[in-house]
Amino acid sequence: MAGIAPDPERTTAPTAAADDDRLHRTLDWKGGFWIASGVPALVLFSIGTIAATIGAPSVLVWGVSISFGLIQSFIWAEIAGLFPRKSGGASVYGAMAWVRYSKLVAPLSVWCNWLAWSPVLMIGSSLAAGYVLTALFPADAVINTWSLTLLPLDFLQEDLALRINSTFVVAALFLLLVFGLQHGGILRAARVQTIIGIAVLVPLLIVGIVPLITGDVLAENFSPFVPLNGAWDLSGWTLLAGGLFIAAWSAYAFETSICYTAEFRDPGRDTVRAILAAGLACLVIYLLVPIAFQGALGPERLAEPGIVDGDGVGQAMTEIVGGGPVVANLLIVMLVLALLLTIMTTMAGSSRTLYQGARDGWLPRFLGTTNRHGAPTRAMWTDLVFNLVLLLLSDTVFVLAASTVCYMIFNFLNLNAGWMHRIDNPTTPRPYRAPTVLVALGTILAFVNALLLGWGSSVWGGGALIFGLVGAALILPVFAFRHFYQDRGVFPDTMYEDLPASERGPGGALVRRAGMLPYLVLGGGIAMIVIGQILAGLSG
């Protein structure tokens, strides 16, 4: 491992940005909750994809996945409380555990979290654009059918290409709208999202509850409760692993509610309340909505192309709750608002990951500035441009699978950061301390997620795993440019803030108390990925 400990000369390092570039403390926990309120709607992104992958047990996938996410959230809440002046989410707090042992592993956590989250902008805006175009124009209209191929990418996946069409244009306009709303700072964004969030969460609850009350959830739609291959054999378990792999991208995502620790008025109090409130909201939606969809429509209907690609979700919701064209149009409006909400949630969270990564020395300095409203505009522009490129891709499911690879890498590193911080930062104040049993369960889940990374990703094609790993590796030249060229091998002082002097050894280097355990953990994670690949290969 290169660069075992931070350089003792760190006190001479330049900061990533001036104090004027700090985020503004204007948010309470309720604002953090509403900023994250776009996460429950993510269930609509992949409800059809998972049903098409595994069949009737898709409701099991959602139940298990959201349960995993809720257990993990307690670890996120604890480590967030350690760093009240940092923004950017769990990956930033986790990186502070790994930096003691490797300069290269720590930025991998931050980078993978951003690469996992940022594509929501592309997926959400393209789906919203599809709803608008379908509602306004016939399916065979020229505006819905024209497409200009720029570059074929068949070597990555069949029929994958870079192209421009009407969806790209409308989706780009949605992204610019969200950028404008968030340019005025997090408090204004939270107020807007409170209104949109209510308009989205209430219909989602209605869709989840009405079929249960009316008796439209039919038991035969959950039977036989076996994967699509017809048995709970190795192939069937591989399909389940594939479902859990892709569901994690949505079900774990409410951790974005702690991306705003540096903007909370009372970080110690607001952080834990925001993430647990967001987690409970997701628990309700992620249990009710899949049961309602499958119970009322059946797994075969869920696996139809229109629901898998998202275009037919509005019509499916109309069938579930009943009603004519007026109800259908209202639900389409709700879906567009839901997608707009997820875009706002994602731009707010992922841009702050870039911002804090720049301030802490992981990413280029230019990302670590804010405007007069306290919004990280350069990071937001970076998010916007990156997703405009992704919008050119013809297959959003491929992007989803590749970004989930990055998300699982981040997840593995950060769940282990929980126990690492307890060993290495025993005297750092903890406004919230998670029950030790949940920290232990979270550590076990880290290895479960590593197994799903190797096993479940195979269901989506080998290209997704390779593309995701290549994307994760891109942090190496990015970090090398920042750390060794811009900062001359020395981390900025802002990286060390919030840590008491007792956690530093001679010369200011961070104390390491975990010995070889972090390296053994990394080896164990790689082993689980390899075992997952072997299981996938044996399943045929």
Side-chain angles (χ1 to χ4, degrees):
M1 293 286 181
I4 295 298
D7 294 316
E9 307 94 333
R10 64 166 189 82
T11 54
T12 64
T15 59
D19 286 343
D20 289 343
D21 288 318
R22 291 281 186 179
L23 299 168
H24 298 177
R25 289 198 183 278
T26 58
L27 209 61
D28 62 11
W29 73 268
K30 290 174 285 188
F33 168 81
W34 287 114
I35 286 287
S37 62
V39 174
L42 289 176
V43 69
L44 301 175
F45 280 26
S46 45
I47 192 169
T49 301
I50 292 176
T53 300
I54 189 170
S58 64
V59 291
L60 174 63
V61 168
W62 288 112
V64 170
S65 194
I66 191 59
S67 298
F68 284 0
L70 201 58
I71 292 171
Q72 294 166 179
S73 69
F74 288 90
I75 298 177
W76 307 150
E78 177 175 320
I79 65 176
L82 297 173
F83 304 99
R85 285 180 285 184
K86 289 188 185 295
S87 185
S91 63
V92 171
Y93 319 131
M96 291 302 298
W98 285 100
V99 70
R100 303 166 190 262
Y101 301 94
S102 172
K103 287 184 177 181
L104 299 182
V105 174
L108 183 66
S109 172
V110 177
W111 180 258
C112 282
N113 189 27
W114 176 72
L115 276 182
W117 250 112
S118 188
V120 179
L121 296 174
M122 179 275 293
I123 297 172
S125 61
S126 61
L127 282 174
Y131 285 131
V132 170
L133 290 170
T134 301
L136 295 179
F137 305 98
D140 57 354
V142 174
I143 195 171
N144 280 325
T145 58
W146 79 275
S147 179
L148 175 63
T149 299
L150 303 178
L151 178 68
L153 298 173
D154 298 281
F155 63 93
L156 289 175
Q157 180 170 297
E158 187 179 355
D159 297 328
L160 186 67
L162 295 178
R163 52 86 182 103
I164 293 178
N165 57 13
S166 299
T167 299
F168 172 86
V169 175
V170 177
L173 293 175
F174 272 120
L175 292 180
L176 289 170
L177 171 63
V178 170
F179 183 95
L181 289 171
Q182 297 201 351
H183 189 270
I186 195 66
L187 183 59
R188 188 176 79 173
R191 288 169 176 166
V192 173
Q193 288 197 225
T194 300
I195 298 170
I196 299 177
I198 293 171
V200 170
L201 292 181
V202 170
L204 279 176
L205 284 172
I206 291 173
V207 169
I209 293 173
V210 166
L212 294 173
I213 296 175
T214 59
D216 290 328
V217 175
L218 305 178
E220 55 262 34
N221 286 331
F222 301 92
S223 180
F225 201 72
V226 293
L228 288 176
N229 70 317
W232 285 106
D233 54 12
L234 184 57
S235 295
W237 284 101
T238 298
L239 293 177
L240 179 66
L244 289 171
F245 169 78
I246 211 71
W249 181 84
S250 304
Y252 301 174
F254 61 89
E255 45 89 7
T256 188
S257 57
I258 59 171
C259 281
Y260 319 102
T261 302
E263 293 164 280
F264 283 136
R265 295 168 188 161
D266 183 355
R269 173 180 176 272
D270 292 332
T271 300
V272 63
R273 292 191 177 193
I275 192 170
L276 293 182
L280 290 173
C282 286
L283 179 67
V284 172
I285 297 296
Y286 279 57
L287 290 177
L288 287 178
V289 171
I291 289 174
F293 264 74
Q294 184 169 326
L297 302 176
E300 295 81 9
R301 174 79 170 85
L302 283 184
E304 291 180 359
I307 298 181
V308 172
D309 63 25
D311 291 340
V313 171
Q315 179 59 40
M317 293 174 73
T318 305
E319 294 177 28
I320 292 173
V321 301
V326 174
V327 173
N329 290 331
L330 287 175
L331 287 174
I332 291 296
V333 171
M334 186 279 289
L335 281 173
V336 173
L337 289 175
L339 293 167
L340 184 64
L341 191 63
T342 60
I343 296 168
M344 294 183 70
T345 294
T346 302
M347 184 172 286
S350 61
S351 63
R352 280 156 178 79
T353 300
L354 292 178
Y355 163 84
Q356 192 65 49
R359 289 190 65 87
D360 286 355
W362 313 122
L363 301 174
R365 284 185 199 164
F366 81 93
L367 295 169
T369 61
T370 62
N371 65 8
R372 62 189 178 90
H373 303 292
T377 46
R378 291 183 180 178
M380 289 162 60
W381 275 116
T382 302
D383 253 345
L384 182 64
V385 172
F386 175 67
N387 278 275
L388 287 176
V389 175
L390 291 183
L391 274 171
L392 297 172
L393 288 170
S394 58
D395 187 349
T396 58
V397 174
F398 175 80
V399 175
L400 175 60
S403 66
T404 304
V405 170
C406 294
Y407 195 60
M408 288 303 207
I409 294 173
F410 142 75
N411 187 276
F412 174 82
L413 294 174
N414 276 262
L415 286 175
N416 282 293
W419 63 264
M420 290 171 66
H421 273 306
R422 285 203 173 179
I423 293 175
D424 285 328
N425 295 318
T427 63
T428 304
R430 282 170 168 76
Y432 170 76
R433 187 178 182 90
T436 301
V437 66
L438 292 182
V439 175
L441 284 174
T443 304
I444 294 171
L445 288 179
F447 291 92
V448 172
N449 285 319
L451 178 66
L452 293 176
L453 171 56
W455 194 4
S457 63
S458 65
V459 174
W460 308 95
L465 178 59
I466 294 172
F467 194 65
L469 292 176
V470 169
L474 290 177
I475 185 56
L476 299 179
V478 173
F479 173 67
F481 169 78
R482 170 63 197 271
H483 186 65
F484 296 106
Y485 176 73
Q486 288 191 318
D487 290 346
R488 301 294 187 267
V490 181
F491 285 109
D493 288 339
T494 47
M495 190 192 78
Y496 298 86
E497 58 187 3
D498 297 318
L499 292 178
S502 60
E503 305 303 343
R504 302 175 190 173
L510 296 176
V511 175
R512 293 178 293 161
R513 300 182 175 94
M516 292 299 295
L517 284 177
Y519 305 113
L520 294 175
V521 162
L522 290 175
I526 294 171
M528 294 301 284
I529 295 172
V530 172
I531 291 172
Q533 286 282 285
I534 293 172
L535 291 172
L538 292 174
S539 69

